[in-house]
Amino acid sequence: MAQGDKSAYTDKQKRQAEHIEESYEKRGVPEEEAEARAWATVNKQDGGGKKSGSGRKKPASQDKKD
């Protein structure tokens, strides 16, 4: 399975993926599968790589004031 470029991720996201990957490997998941699952988990939690720049909207939940 081909892995994509990880340069768009923050250092924190890279560290998180490394720790998640190690956890999967300790549970007996093959190395390539553990890496893929780890990055999928980081993407699920954070929505992908760096999220700054013009044109980026806040999620709808942050726009509303109670």
Side-chain angles (χ1 to χ4, degrees):
M1 181 184 307
Q3 300 295 322
D5 182 25
K6 305 298 187 227
S7 64
Y9 291 89
T10 64
D11 289 338
K12 180 179 178 182
Q13 289 170 320
K14 291 175 184 177
R15 285 192 310 272
Q16 286 176 325
E18 184 65 32
H19 289 294
I20 294 166
E21 181 180 351
E22 289 172 5
S23 294
Y24 278 123
E25 288 175 356
K26 285 181 184 177
R27 292 186 231 164
V29 177
E31 188 175 340
E32 284 186 21
E33 177 68 18
E35 182 180 5
R37 287 187 187 184
W39 284 107
T41 303
V42 170
N43 287 337
K44 175 100 175 169
Q45 290 173 344
D46 297 334
K50 295 177 185 173
K51 295 293 185 183
S52 64
S54 63
R56 306 275 304 146
K57 285 186 170 183
K58 293 182 183 176
S61 61
Q62 289 183 356
D63 286 352
K64 297 178 183 176
K65 302 233 179 188
D66 291 326

